Amino acid sequence: FYLSCTIFIRLLIKSTFYPIIQFWMQCFCIPVSTIQMIKHLILNFLWKSRSSKIPWEVLCKQKEEGGLGLRNLEEMNKALYVKLIWKVINLEGIWANLIHCKYIGRKSIWEINQRSDDSGVWKFILKNRVEALKCLSLNIADGKTTSLWYDPWLNGSSIMERIGRDSAFRTGTENMSLSKILSNGKWKWDSYSFLFQIHAGIEGVKIHKNSERDFWSWKCSKDGLYQFKKVWKSVRSNFDIKSWASLVWNNICLLYTS
């Protein structure tokens, strides 16, 4: 009886709590304190107590890993704030365009520093943009919308990181777009001596001649498009598979359906 109740409560949590949580997480960056409050609500519903009989981390393991298959809220938040950054860099929707006009303008999101009067959402985006970059890939076509110095077009990093800021100011190329070292779908970096030290890396960057403009894609997705489940799987903690898990869950399903 207890096992059948467990799967029923789990289904209720996943079908009621989680869709609401996911909806708000993809609209706002949820603070850690709020996540903790949500966690206590779920535990109270599950155990009829604010204290968990089983650690939260264990409950959030996948079923085959010995858990209940609930999603870790911090990892959900991480997977969904990456989507906010995706919207901003791709100008998806009215909100993204407003954010772009107010905070970015003609600059690159990767060169902007946080200010004290920035909104909470924007501060959160700036704080986590480097972490989000682990899931993103910048693909080069014409180079017109990509910053030569600040955008991470060189195998996931910027040339500012590779050769430093001094060359940008000394040569007056700080605001140059990548299109200046592209011509007819080929690299033309030899006109700029400061690029010689990284020329091998530049030549290794693929130019997408079939695309009209530069574009971003997801590393964890074959089609390059955002899919929450795939991004969540790429950011979640993985644990060892338990040999007994399938036996337990098969028995629970039999009890639940009988």
Side-chain angles (χ1 to χ4, degrees):
F1 175 76
Y2 178 77
L3 291 176
S4 61
C5 285
T6 300
I7 192 171
F8 181 69
I9 293 172
R10 172 186 172 274
L11 287 172
L12 278 176
I13 291 173
K14 294 196 74 172
S15 62
T16 55
F17 279 93
Y18 276 81
I20 297 171
I21 296 168
Q22 185 168 333
F23 171 80
W24 289 109
M25 279 185 174
Q26 64 185 351
C27 298
F28 303 102
C29 304
I30 307 298
V32 175
S33 58
T34 305
I35 290 177
Q36 291 300 321
M37 290 175 62
I38 297 170
K39 191 186 299 183
H40 287 314
L41 286 172
I42 294 173
L43 291 174
N44 186 48
F45 181 76
L46 184 61
W47 304 115
K48 304 301 179 185
S49 169
R50 291 181 69 87
S51 60
S52 176
K53 294 178 174 61
I54 300 175
W56 173 256
E57 291 72 20
V58 176
L59 295 175
C60 290
K61 290 181 180 179
Q62 294 299 286
K63 291 184 291 183
E64 60 271 17
E65 297 170 342
L68 269 185
L70 301 179
R71 282 178 176 155
N72 184 293
L73 298 179
E74 288 84 356
E75 291 171 348
M76 276 185 63
N77 201 31
K78 186 176 181 180
L80 288 164
Y81 79 60
V82 172
K83 186 178 181 180
L84 290 179
I85 297 174
W86 170 266
K87 286 183 175 180
V88 171
I89 60 179
N90 285 289
L91 295 176
E92 283 189 4
I94 296 175
W95 174 83
N97 279 275
L98 286 172
I99 288 290
H100 201 278
C101 290
K102 183 174 182 179
Y103 295 113
I104 302 176
R106 294 186 178 182
K107 294 183 178 180
S108 166
I109 188 176
W110 312 101
E111 69 177 286
I112 295 172
N113 296 317
Q114 183 178 305
R115 301 181 305 183
S116 58
D117 59 342
D118 287 340
S119 69
V121 173
W122 182 242
K123 286 179 180 178
F124 193 87
I125 288 174
L126 292 181
K127 181 182 177 181
N128 293 284
R129 59 188 161 175
V130 176
E131 184 70 20
L133 191 57
K134 296 177 182 178
C135 303
L136 298 167
S137 178
L138 178 55
N139 302 279
I140 304 304
D142 61 4
K144 292 180 179 179
T145 57
T146 299
S147 168
L148 172 66
W149 284 95
Y150 293 101
D151 284 335
W153 60 272
L154 190 60
N155 299 317
S157 62
S158 66
I159 66 170
M160 186 73 76
E161 296 175 82
R162 298 288 186 92
I163 62 179
R165 186 182 295 268
D166 292 341
S167 296
F169 295 132
R170 187 174 63 252
T171 58
T173 57
E174 184 188 8
N175 298 317
M176 183 184 293
S177 71
L178 193 60
S179 61
K180 298 297 182 181
I181 63 169
L182 278 169
S183 178
N184 298 320
K186 295 182 179 180
W187 293 111
K188 297 292 181 181
W189 54 267
D190 50 332
S191 300
Y192 301 94
S193 58
F194 60 86
L195 293 176
F196 181 77
Q197 57 186 303
I198 56 170
H199 75 277
I202 294 175
E203 292 293 346
V205 176
K206 180 181 178 180
I207 300 173
H208 295 261
K209 298 178 181 180
N210 295 328
S211 299
E212 295 182 358
R213 53 179 297 174
D214 306 338
F215 63 96
W216 291 87
S217 60
W218 291 98
K219 293 179 180 178
C220 56
S221 176
K222 290 183 179 180
D223 58 9
L225 301 177
Y226 177 90
Q227 294 180 21
F228 168 73
K229 190 173 182 179
K230 290 184 178 180
V231 176
W232 170 73
K233 283 183 176 180
S234 71
V235 302
R236 71 173 292 269
S237 301
N238 294 297
F239 301 92
D240 294 334
I241 303 297
K242 305 299 182 183
S243 57
W244 48 263
S246 59
L247 179 63
V248 171
W249 280 100
N250 286 338
N251 286 335
I252 291 176
C253 292
L254 287 172
L255 285 169
Y256 183 69
T257 55
S258 62

